[in-house]
Amino acid sequence: MSHILKNKVLDDFILWNNLKNGDERSFSLLFEKYYRDLINYGNSLCPFAEKVQDCIQDVFADIWLYRDSLQDNVIVKAYLLSSVRKRIARLHERDYVFKKATTTDVLEFLFDFSIENALVEDEVTAERVLHLNKLLNDLPGRQKEALYLRYHQGLSVDQIAELLDVNYQSANNLLHRGLLSLRKEWKGSIPLLILISAGVL
């Protein structure tokens, strides 16, 4: 684990435990730190921006209200993304968008990858990047969501598995199959993973 990543995890650990002890400043700092990521992810699962904002607010309200019962050892970003996903799934169920929904599998992943053309240096590569955008967005929803969580949100395979409510091997397979499909088509000089990680959020 890099020094920067260690510091980030340590910072989250401190803020989380301060929050559990009733520190409003730590609560606010975590909200500010992850709000944009949660908005981006929420918007990829629900086309109604106001409802996404309400779900995020509800997640944080519950965190504060039930802070005494929160677990100590939590990867905060993964926990928040998972909580928002579950909240939106319940919203869909409540609104009868998906009847009798009991898991988050009902959610359709709506995010569109859009790789920066500024990364490419010639017209031929630019055309290939446009093609790669299409390939990414044509992937099955679960594969696309797994790639998004891995390369845009920086989650580990274990965290993706927990968030998507699948086992480790299934999450790994989603990533592997998605990348395999892309590698079959990508012949550009720019490494594929750099391009996937550089989409506009």
Side-chain angles (χ1 to χ4, degrees):
M1 185 180 293
S2 71
H3 180 67
I4 294 175
L5 185 55
K6 281 183 180 178
N7 285 341
K8 182 177 180 180
V9 171
L10 180 61
D11 289 345
D12 281 358
F13 178 79
I14 292 171
L15 290 173
W16 184 257
N17 281 281
N18 287 346
L19 178 164
K20 281 171 52 64
N21 291 324
D23 181 37
E24 294 184 16
R25 177 62 177 161
S26 295
F27 173 80
S28 297
L29 286 173
L30 282 176
F31 180 85
E32 293 166 7
K33 183 175 184 179
Y34 289 117
Y35 182 74
R36 180 47 50 191
D37 286 331
L38 298 175
I39 284 288
N40 289 331
Y41 186 48
N43 286 340
S44 76
L45 299 169
C46 175
F48 306 107
E50 289 186 1
K51 289 186 177 182
V52 170
Q53 292 173 21
D54 288 343
C55 285
I56 294 170
Q57 295 281 356
D58 289 344
V59 165
F60 275 92
D62 281 351
I63 286 173
W64 183 254
L65 184 62
Y66 302 110
R67 60 188 181 276
D68 291 339
S69 60
L70 294 173
Q71 295 182 359
D72 292 327
N73 298 319
V74 168
I75 304 299
V76 176
K77 185 175 187 179
Y79 177 88
L80 293 174
L81 289 169
S82 178
S83 297
V84 169
R85 194 181 203 279
K86 290 173 182 175
R87 178 74 62 168
I88 291 174
R90 287 201 297 271
L91 177 70
H92 283 315
E93 181 183 6
R94 187 189 68 194
D95 291 347
Y96 303 102
V97 176
F98 299 99
K99 293 184 178 180
K100 299 182 180 178
T102 57
T103 74
T104 55
D105 290 345
V106 298
L107 296 177
E108 179 184 0
F109 191 65
L110 307 172
F111 178 82
D112 282 332
F113 285 91
S114 180
I115 294 166
E116 290 273 22
N117 286 332
L119 289 171
V120 303
E121 299 177 354
D122 59 81
E123 186 174 342
V124 173
T125 307
E127 291 179 359
R128 287 175 178 166
V129 167
L130 288 175
H131 181 52
L132 180 58
N133 277 329
K134 184 178 186 307
L135 292 172
L136 276 163
N137 292 316
D138 286 347
L139 287 173
R142 297 280 274 183
Q143 291 180 20
K144 190 165 71 164
E145 185 172 4
L147 288 172
Y148 169 86
L149 292 169
R150 183 74 181 97
Y151 297 106
H152 282 265
Q153 297 292 358
L155 269 58
S156 68
V157 179
D158 280 323
Q159 292 162 4
I160 293 169
E162 184 174 352
L163 192 151
L164 297 181
D165 196 24
V166 298
N167 61 38
Y168 177 93
Q169 189 58 51
S170 295
N172 201 45
N173 288 344
L174 287 171
L175 291 166
H176 177 72
R177 289 170 186 159
L179 289 173
L180 190 63
S181 296
L182 298 174
R183 285 182 177 130
K184 285 180 180 178
E185 301 288 341
W186 178 247
K187 311 298 182 189
S189 58
I190 302 174
L192 182 62
L193 294 183
I194 291 177
L195 289 171
I196 296 174
S197 302
V200 179
L201 297 183

